[in-house]
Amino acid sequence: ERADADDLPLAKRENEYSSDGITAFLMEPVGKPVIPLVNRKGAKALIKQAFESLHKLHSAKIAHGDARLENLIRSGKDLIWVDLLALGGEECCHRASMQSDFCTLAKSFLRHRNTDDHHYDSIRNTIDDYDGSSAEQVIQHLSQIIDNSYKN
């Protein structure tokens, strides 16, 4: 079941301009980058929220294609994904696409916290279980692995 577009964690289009076969979209102002928040207390909640918002896109048959922290914005209490590379639909949002998005996001968290990637095998094994239906357990486990990696 596809979610209503207004409920998805995406920047909303305010206007569209077309001229000579070129189309541009003016997007709403969305908020502030999350990267400065990654090293603060309470980062575990941010980690979990980021994976949950990505899963919400996947549930709507949308794969991001570049799910790095650089493409995640905080707007109030919400997280908004920007700069999508993939489009929605069954053909682009298959298991490998969803797993790739989760892997990219996990690596991005580790990179921005200057954490070595010796946790990567645990992360990869957890992501291998992600098919969209097992999201809650996978997100919880990934959040725990990434949060623990910062403490070591």
Side-chain angles (χ1 to χ4, degrees):
E1 177 178 321
R2 191 174 172 118
D4 181 19
D6 289 337
D7 293 334
L8 294 176
L10 298 170
K12 306 298 182 248
R13 186 170 55 187
E14 283 191 349
N15 214 333
E16 181 178 328
Y17 302 95
S18 292
S19 177
D20 298 326
I22 298 172
T23 301
F25 300 104
L26 175 64
M27 306 306 283
E28 70 177 353
V30 290
K32 299 181 181 195
V34 299
I35 292 172
L37 305 174
V38 170
N39 291 312
R40 294 186 180 167
K41 285 188 175 187
K44 186 175 182 179
L46 174 67
I47 296 164
K48 187 173 186 237
Q49 186 181 12
F51 281 104
E52 288 171 343
S53 69
L54 190 54
H55 172 66
K56 191 170 185 177
L57 290 183
H58 294 163
S59 295
K61 304 292 184 223
I62 299 171
H64 189 285
D66 189 21
R68 297 175 295 129
L69 291 173
E70 288 83 355
N71 294 324
L72 192 58
I73 304 293
R74 177 165 297 284
S75 178
K77 294 181 180 181
D78 297 326
L79 295 180
I80 307 293
W81 287 100
V82 297
D83 202 17
L84 277 72
L85 296 179
L87 300 175
E90 295 291 335
E91 64 282 350
C92 90
C93 197
H94 47 77
R95 184 176 180 164
S97 301
M98 296 187 301
Q99 289 175 339
S100 177
D101 278 353
F102 265 40
C103 187
T104 300
L105 182 57
K107 285 181 175 180
S108 187
F109 270 110
L110 294 178
R111 188 177 67 251
H112 284 286
R113 292 294 297 260
N114 296 318
T115 304
D116 62 35
D117 54 353
H118 74 273
H119 297 278
Y120 183 69
D121 286 339
S122 297
I123 288 170
R124 186 72 246 174
N125 290 338
T126 301
I127 290 171
D128 284 345
D129 292 336
Y130 178 62
D131 63 4
S133 62
S134 56
E136 190 174 322
Q137 291 173 323
V138 170
I139 290 169
Q140 185 65 33
H141 195 217
L142 284 173
S143 299
Q144 197 169 22
I145 293 168
I146 294 168
D147 188 53
N148 288 342
S149 74
Y150 301 153
K151 297 173 186 172
N152 295 333

